[in-house]
Amino acid sequence: MKTVLFATAAAFCSLSTAAYAQSAPVAIASVGELVVTANRSPQEIERIGQSITVLTAEEIKASQVIDVSTLLAQTAGVSFSRNGGVGGSTSLRIRGAETDQTLVIIDGVKLNDPSSSGGGYNFANLLAGDIDRIEILRGAQSTLWGSQAIGGIVNITTAQPQKPVEASLSAEGGSMGTSYFRGGVGGRTERLAWRLAASRYDTDGVSSYRYGSEKDGYENTGLSGRALFHATDALSFDLRGVYSKGKNDFDGFLTDSRDYGETEDFIGYAGVNFDLFGGALSNRIAYAYTRTDRQNFNPDQAVTTTTFDARGENKRWEYQGVWKINEAWTATFGGETEDARMRTASPSAFDPHPPVVRGKVGLDGLYAQVQGELVAGLNLTAGVRRDSHDTFGDNTLGQIAAAWSLNDGATILRASFGQGFKAPTLYQLYSEYGNTNLEAEEADGWDVGVQQRLADRFVIRATWFQRKTENQIEYVSCSSPADAMCLVNGVMRWGYYDNIARAKAKGVELEGTADLGPLQVAANYTWTEAKNHAEGTATYGKLLPRRPEHQANIQVAYTWANQATLGGAIRYVGKAYDNAANTNVLQSYTLLDLRASYPVNDTFELYGRVENALDEDYETTRNYGSPGRGAYVGVRARF
């Protein structure tokens, strides 16, 4: 029945172009388009053997989507779950991997929070704001990018100026008392490019507890800035910074409450770029810094209202070189040294001043990769990486990929094999549940695919993928003092982390686009089977929690001669389970969004949308609420 419902809705959306259309739906990258993530330097898409999707500024703008997690879920192989509405704790998964096995990069800086249990990035505070481009690289990618890139990479770039002086403003409002204001200003000259941007988002939200009555709101303030100064044609200096502060209300366990949390993120980058040997060798030396501060509060708790306080910091030095060996071959190599620190505390009415847990660790890495054309149209990429961790020791891994472009790029065959690893987090090593004997999580993954362009109007792509993960870290509950890990200085603890989990994932990603003049259509379907593969456990062979087996997206766009647009998008998410035993079911759901925009003149544009137009009642996490139907209108201006 669900399949029939989705097919019927999709057909109706495709046929009724005057009512359901969308400007610039998510498209498959064109031949000749440059992408960065796969090789850490710009390369033509047809030379890349890995599976990658690009969201351009035009597509992001046309979608009118506020939060990045929803935007990413419109692409193949990506799913997410959220505890409540926008601003609730948000987990993103690529190809069924754990949420903390996705590496997130913003303006060249790797993001993670060493004070969180899994060290992953919480997408709750990441809004579309001033984002100019997103590249989603699927599959194990640790050879160039290091720890965490087991499921894949999300590489985000903020907007860069294109004119001597430019500015942009936008404002929107709508359901649930929502308002969103954004502004940016910048400029580009022969030597200097700079941009500053700010945003403010507020919403009354929905009840975090699915059956609650009071609303749980969210507010977010964001700032970003960047400057690139070319001292000479061969020497430049780069500064970037991104800041956000979010406050989200949430509920206690299965009840309304007045709890709220505050999260403050800062990302900083400073780099120098210089070319040698007439530009044959490009070099980059950079320092990157990230800091995440998190606090939770319960105004009704006695003695102290603070229930959680944590800070995680990363300091990283990087060197990268790109050597253009000749017209056909390029080598990328470099080294990184990272220092991570954390502190956490969980005050309560019974213990308002608990001991502060602290930890620090260093991770050094070296990598090298070569890419070149073996024969006309056949490109090969091969790389190796060596990491040294203060606690678990050394780790070596590799990657190989091939892309074969045929028929002047009309047909592209791709295949890749990659290894990934994830270092134990500081929390897993040094918290009250810590285990300093932990080893790194390891994964082997491969995929094969074909892309076909037909009549310069249609593009279809199919990819098969598999991944096996070992030494996965999980929490072990303590039930008996016979387990030596349960006793610390003779005192029984609640539990500890250990390398006990294994997982296998496989699936298919199907994507297609159609360029029919004013009508644009894009669709994708993903089948993912991600299972527990730890033999001897009660959940062996069970599907991993919150990984829907079936997902699909359809987006349709119709644009008139005056650039006015009407648009629609359908997202189908199949049944999933909320627990490892597969006893708690998350039912399938279908969401329909409608969008429109109208350019008043060269400066102003009016736009509006209806989200969840069918008012679907659904869950991405059991017992957490999700927004119903909402309508929003706004105006954009570009000077």
Side-chain angles (χ1 to χ4, degrees):
M1 176 61 70
K2 290 293 185 182
T3 302
V4 173
L5 172 63
F6 179 76
T8 302
F12 181 70
C13 182
S14 298
L15 293 174
S16 302
T17 58
Y20 299 88
Q22 158 91 29
S23 172
V26 176
I28 296 174
S30 304
V31 171
E33 181 172 357
L34 298 179
V35 296
V36 174
T37 312
N39 292 297
R40 295 187 69 150
S41 60
Q43 296 286 344
E44 296 88 352
I45 187 70
E46 62 269 23
R47 299 184 62 192
I48 304 300
Q50 298 97 319
S51 179
I52 190 167
T53 296
V54 178
L55 299 178
T56 65
E58 180 184 3
E59 292 160 355
I60 296 170
K61 173 186 173 184
S63 74
Q64 300 184 29
V65 172
I66 297 297
D67 61 300
V68 172
S69 55
T70 299
L71 191 64
L72 295 173
Q74 296 176 351
T75 66
V78 180
S79 63
F80 80 94
S81 58
R82 187 165 59 204
N83 296 354
V86 175
S89 180
T90 305
S91 300
L92 187 101
R93 301 174 180 88
I94 298 178
R95 289 182 170 176
E98 298 294 329
T99 182
D100 53 30
Q101 294 174 343
T102 296
L103 179 62
V104 183
I105 304 163
I106 296 182
D107 284 344
V109 181
K110 300 180 190 179
L111 298 184
N112 64 351
D113 178 7
S115 68
S116 67
S117 58
Y121 181 71
N122 180 4
F123 278 80
N125 288 322
L126 187 56
L127 305 184
D130 207 45
I131 292 176
D132 183 68
R133 181 181 177 91
I134 304 176
E135 295 180 2
I136 305 104
L137 185 63
R138 296 181 285 273
Q141 309 292 337
S142 288
T143 301
L144 285 186
W145 292 102
S147 179
Q148 285 190 269
I150 288 178
I153 297 170
V154 176
N155 187 10
I156 297 169
T157 305
T158 57
Q160 303 182 54
Q162 303 300 323
K163 301 177 182 179
V165 179
E166 62 181 38
S168 61
L169 295 170
S170 66
E172 70 173 67
S175 300
M176 297 180 290
T178 300
S179 63
Y180 193 20
F181 301 94
R182 289 169 288 174
V185 61
R188 177 183 291 273
T189 64
E190 182 180 356
R191 293 295 184 190
L192 176 65
W194 64 276
R195 182 173 173 85
L196 298 172
S199 65
R200 174 70 182 186
Y201 177 84
D202 291 273
T203 183
D204 295 337
V206 298
S207 177
S208 177
Y209 173 46
R210 179 173 172 80
Y211 304 103
S213 58
E214 53 86 31
K215 294 182 178 181
D216 293 300
Y218 174 65
E219 58 188 52
N220 179 286
T221 300
L223 300 169
S224 65
R226 60 188 305 157
L228 177 63
F229 175 68
H230 289 271
T232 69
D233 292 341
L235 176 65
S236 64
F237 300 91
D238 200 351
L239 290 174
R240 310 168 196 166
V242 178
Y243 170 85
S244 71
K245 184 174 183 179
K247 176 180 179 294
N248 70 293
D249 300 332
F250 61 92
D251 290 325
F253 182 68
L254 300 180
T255 184
D256 280 335
S257 73
R258 297 201 300 153
D259 291 74
Y260 67 94
E262 294 181 347
T263 301
E264 191 172 14
D265 289 310
F266 174 74
I267 304 160
Y269 174 95
V272 57
N273 313 288
F274 56 98
D275 296 338
L276 298 175
F277 311 115
L281 178 60
S282 299
N283 305 271
R284 178 176 63 87
I285 299 175
Y287 173 76
Y289 174 77
T290 63
R291 187 188 72 235
T292 301
D293 289 297
R294 294 180 294 140
Q295 289 185 303
N296 291 345
F297 303 91
N298 179 356
D300 300 320
Q301 179 173 277
V303 185
T304 176
T305 60
T306 303
T307 59
F308 181 74
D309 185 11
R311 167 174 285 191
E313 288 182 288
N314 260 313
K315 300 175 182 179
R316 180 192 302 269
W317 284 97
E318 303 176 339
Y319 166 77
Q320 178 178 304
V322 179
W323 178 28
K324 298 177 183 177
I325 302 171
N326 53 39
E327 290 297 322
W329 289 86
T330 301
T332 302
F333 52 90
E336 304 168 337
T337 180
E338 176 184 308
D339 175 55
R341 298 171 182 265
M342 73 132 189
R343 61 166 176 78
T344 67
S346 299
S348 67
F350 304 100
D351 188 5
H353 303 289
V356 177
V357 178
R358 301 180 186 273
K360 63 179 181 178
V361 72
L363 179 62
D364 302 322
L366 297 171
Y367 61 86
Q369 178 173 284
V370 293
Q371 181 189 54
E373 192 173 40
L374 291 178
V375 297
L378 178 58
N379 288 274
L380 178 69
T381 303
V384 64
R385 183 183 186 94
R386 178 75 169 176
D387 279 280
S388 179
H389 189 276
D390 285 351
T391 302
F392 74 77
D394 298 335
N395 188 70
T396 302
L397 46 81
Q399 181 179 56
I400 187 168
W404 195 2
S405 181
L406 305 169
N407 306 322
D408 294 325
T411 304
I412 301 176
L413 305 177
R414 291 186 170 94
S416 72
F417 170 81
Q419 295 179 300
F421 84 101
K422 179 178 178 293
T425 67
L426 286 170
Y427 192 88
Q428 293 165 343
L429 290 169
Y430 301 118
S431 72
E432 60 266 42
Y433 314 110
N435 177 2
T436 55
N437 295 317
L438 289 173
E439 298 179 4
E441 300 178 352
E442 298 177 342
D444 292 339
W446 62 270
D447 57 32
V448 293
V450 58
Q451 178 177 311
Q452 181 65 51
R453 184 175 298 275
L454 302 170
D456 292 327
R457 288 185 175 272
F458 305 94
V459 181
I460 56 176
R461 183 163 66 187
T463 305
W464 171 269
F465 66 87
Q466 286 193 191
R467 183 185 63 256
K468 180 181 179 181
T469 308
E470 297 183 339
N471 290 336
Q472 197 157 302
I473 299 170
E474 276 198 1
Y475 178 79
V476 180
S477 295
C478 284
S479 57
S480 168
D483 185 345
M485 288 296 297
C486 290
L487 291 177
V488 178
N489 297 324
V491 178
M492 186 87 166
R493 59 176 174 173
W494 292 102
Y496 60 93
Y497 288 99
D498 204 357
N499 297 99
I500 62 170
R502 294 184 176 185
K504 282 188 174 181
K506 61 183 178 182
V508 175
E509 296 160 350
L510 303 176
E511 303 167 83
T513 62
D515 182 357
L516 305 175
L519 176 65
Q520 305 284 316
V521 182
N524 62 69
Y525 164 77
T526 305
W527 171 68
T528 305
E529 183 185 80
K531 289 186 174 182
N532 178 359
H533 198 64
E535 296 181 2
T537 64
T539 56
Y540 175 76
K542 299 288 187 181
L543 293 172
L544 298 178
R546 302 174 190 170
R547 274 81 157 181
E549 283 193 82
H550 304 282
Q551 290 190 118
N553 291 277
I554 290 182
Q555 299 184 59
V556 183
Y558 193 90
T559 304
W560 278 267
N562 65 352
Q563 299 304 303
T565 67
L566 284 175
I570 294 177
R571 178 155 58 98
Y572 170 78
V573 179
K575 182 182 73 173
Y577 297 98
D578 194 68
N579 62 339
N582 290 182
T583 55
N584 296 330
V585 178
L586 297 172
Q587 297 294 344
S588 62
Y589 60 90
T590 302
L591 302 179
L592 170 65
D593 295 339
L594 304 174
R595 308 181 185 102
S597 66
Y598 176 77
V600 179
N601 52 39
D602 292 340
T603 300
F604 292 97
E605 178 187 37
L606 302 176
Y607 66 92
R609 67 185 180 277
V610 179
E611 296 179 352
N612 191 6
L614 301 180
D615 203 22
E616 180 89 338
D617 184 16
Y618 66 101
E619 294 175 294
T620 62
T621 306
R622 188 168 182 249
N623 290 323
Y624 282 90
S626 295
R629 182 189 298 116
Y632 307 87
V633 295
V635 59
R636 299 185 181 111
R638 185 171 294 277
F639 307 93

